[in-house]
Amino acid sequence: NPVQDFQIIDDRTIELRTPPGAAGAASVSVQNPNGRFVCNNCFTYFDELVVTGFTPREGPLAGGTEVTITGQGFTTDTQVLFGAYSSPAITVVSSTELKVVAPRGAAADLVDLVVYNKNGVSTQRRSYRYLPELRVTGLTPVTGPLAGATTVTLTGTGFTGATEVRFGATAGTALTVVSDTQLTVATPAATTAGAVDVVVTTPAGSWTRKGGFTYADETGAFAVFAVAPHVVRPGEVVTLT
């Protein structure tokens, strides 16, 4: 392609603006009344680094989510930052696609996604969201009848998108995510009295509260199934069920 804009600085220097070209090596030729000179493959065109999209756009604070990034200009030296932290694993599928693993985040919040290499830098401002870690910190009541249908309130973090709460091997019913820090669920029926694990499942993973709920046989012999709270100051109330 001919150069449309150039300036002769002196007998040894020409300043010019490159014309459009295809990615890869290109030859440069200079011609004047004294002759023509060709420099074979001495200039390289590259695709400008551009990010056009990525998915998913959120993941757990612990990291480990595989994110697919699309665009152009991706090379083997490409690096990706989630906020201030580098991706621990980057796969260049092609010059238009990357697969990267999100690192652990510093806090549950939106962070910049930055892609850079020798071709440039692309920054997606506050575009990837780290979700709070799933954790159950409280559960009430901690006991209920074998017949089930006890409404249990769970508190903690990372409940957004919760899909299931299991009591032992059986899923509860009437699951309602009140907020990221609270949900309610009705216990299923059970056949045997005793403590069972409570497992909360969300798109980000699962959390198990060992022996978190106790089924009580109200027709059986006298028994204490639960004490709450477990730690108190002198004079505080303790509830036995």
Side-chain angles (χ1 to χ4, degrees), residues 62-133:
T65 302
E66 184 178 76
V67 178
T68 299
I69 303 174
T70 55
Q72 67 177 43
F74 301 147
T75 56
T76 55
D77 66 328
T78 298
Q79 297 295 312
V80 180
L81 298 176
F82 290 75
Y85 300 103
S86 298
S87 168
I90 300 171
T91 301
V92 181
V93 179
S94 68
S95 63
T96 61
E97 182 179 335
L98 298 174
K99 288 190 179 297
V100 304
V101 174
R104 180 177 180 82
D109 198 1
L110 287 167
V111 298
D112 296 346
L113 179 75
V114 181
V115 181
Y116 67 94
N117 61 21
K118 62 184 179 183
N119 294 346
V121 180
S122 178
T123 301
Q124 312 298 304
R125 297 290 184 190
R126 293 181 61 79
S127 56
Y128 184 83
R129 182 184 296 278
Y130 278 106
L131 301 174
E133 289 187 317

Side-chain angles (χ1 to χ4, degrees), residues 189-201:
T191 58
T192 305
V196 295
D197 295 345
V198 179
V199 183
V200 181
T201 300

Side-chain angles (χ1 to χ4, degrees), residues 37-50:
F37 174 79
V38 178
C39 178
N40 290 314
N41 298 325
C42 62
F43 185 82
T44 301
Y45 282 102
F46 60 81
D47 287 325
E48 181 182 3
L49 177 61
V50 176

